[in-house]
């Protein structure tokens, strides 16, 4: 199922077989996309089906849970989840530790931007972009998108434009066209 990009049955079979590796692979490809295109009920069902330990064994799962909480307006719960994911990463001997911490900083940047707190957001963004691999387009685009939104709300038009254009340069994957649609609308707003 996974080879055919049939994620729902792949997820169901992975859960039935307690195959955390397959679930983590699905999470890597689908969880953030589901969050941003409004598949919230399905994502909630999937997150609820996972053992708690997997949320911290696989940071992509724990961070998706955090972002889900943040989008639902539970900012304190979101930040608590981010703290637990970060602690699990720091206590691990992961080879990709700096990459995973960069993803944590991306989520922290996103939340700070949501709260219109650029003083907090900018250092998180700087650390995230420094340590995210170029191939991690979703998280890199999230940093730029978040900053674009925060700069736009602060009336810092040129900085908003720059970050929105960086998002457009990153979202080549057809699955993420939703992001470019939003960015074009935001750019139109900036021009107005």
């Amino acid at each position: 199922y996974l080879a055919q990009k049939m994620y729902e049955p792949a997820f169901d079979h992975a859960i039935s077989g307690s195959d955390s590796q397959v679930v983590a692979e699905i999470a890597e490809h689908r969880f953030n996309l589901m969050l941003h295109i409004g598949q919230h009920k399905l994502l909630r069902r999937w997150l609820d089906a996972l053992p708690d330990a997997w949320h911290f064994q696989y940071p992509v799962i724990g961070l998706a849970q955090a972002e889900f909480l943040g989008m639902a307006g539970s900012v304190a719960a979101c930040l608590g989840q981010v703290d637990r994911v970060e602690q699990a990463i720091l206590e691990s001997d992961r080879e990709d530790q700096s990459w995973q911490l960069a993803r944590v900083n991306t989520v922290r940047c996103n939340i700070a931007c949501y709260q219109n707190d650029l003083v907090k957001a900018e250092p998180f963004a700087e650390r995230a972009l420094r340590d995210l691999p170029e191939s991690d387009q979703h998280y890199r685009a999230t940093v730029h998108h978040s900053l674009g939104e925060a700069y736009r709300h602060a009336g810092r038009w040129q900085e908003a434009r720059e970050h929105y254009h960086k998002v457009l340069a990153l979202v080549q994957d057809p699955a993420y066209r939703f992001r470019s649609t939003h960015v074009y609308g935001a750019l139109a707003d900036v021009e107005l």
Side-chain angles (χ1 to χ4, degrees):
Y1 286 126
L2 193 56
Q4 297 300 315
K5 298 184 179 186
M6 297 172 66
Y7 295 105
E8 282 191 65
F11 181 87
D12 292 338
H13 283 288
I15 288 295
S16 295
S18 297
D19 191 336
S20 61
Q21 293 284 5
V22 171
V23 170
E25 187 175 342
I26 293 168
E28 190 68 42
H29 295 288
R30 296 300 295 179
F31 281 19
N32 286 311
L33 178 63
M34 292 167 70
L35 190 63
H36 293 287
I37 64 172
Q39 290 184 325
H40 297 160
K41 284 177 85 173
L42 179 59
L43 180 59
R44 172 82 272 148
R45 182 176 69 81
W46 283 10
L47 289 169
D48 287 346
L50 302 177
D52 286 341
W54 292 8
H55 288 250
F56 307 107
Q57 183 179 359
Y58 300 99
V60 68
I61 295 171
L63 292 175
Q65 171 73 21
E67 289 189 86
F68 184 88
L69 291 166
M71 284 187 127
S74 301
V75 176
C78 168
L79 291 173
Q81 176 77 1
V82 172
D83 289 342
R84 289 188 297 278
V85 170
E86 181 178 43
Q87 191 61 38
I89 294 168
L90 291 171
E91 291 172 358
S92 73
D93 58 353
R94 302 178 65 96
E95 290 179 19
D96 63 348
Q97 190 177 59
S98 64
W99 177 8
Q100 297 305 325
L101 290 172
R103 286 179 164 190
V104 166
N105 284 321
T106 299
V107 175
R108 289 189 190 283
C109 171
N110 192 15
I111 295 300
C113 287
Y114 173 76
Q115 296 175 318
N116 292 315
D117 189 345
L118 281 165
V119 171
K120 283 185 183 176
E122 290 172 327
F124 288 134
E126 183 181 321
R127 289 194 297 271
L129 292 171
R130 179 190 66 216
D131 293 332
L132 283 169
E134 293 295 324
S135 62
D136 197 342
Q137 292 187 349
H138 170 75
Y139 280 88
R140 293 183 78 77
T142 297
V143 171
H144 292 299
H145 198 165
S146 298
L147 287 173
E149 292 291 290
Y151 288 134
R152 181 166 60 106
H153 288 117
R156 293 168 62 177
W157 313 120
Q158 187 54 40
E159 289 159 300
R161 268 188 215 95
E162 289 169 11
H163 284 281
Y164 285 138
H165 283 286
K166 288 178 182 179
V167 173
L168 294 174
L170 288 168
V171 292
Q172 303 306 318
D173 185 339
Y176 285 95
R177 289 216 173 105
F178 71 90
R179 193 183 291 264
S180 58
T181 301
H182 176 84
V183 169
Y184 282 121
L187 282 167
D189 183 57
V190 167
E191 292 308 313
L192 290 173

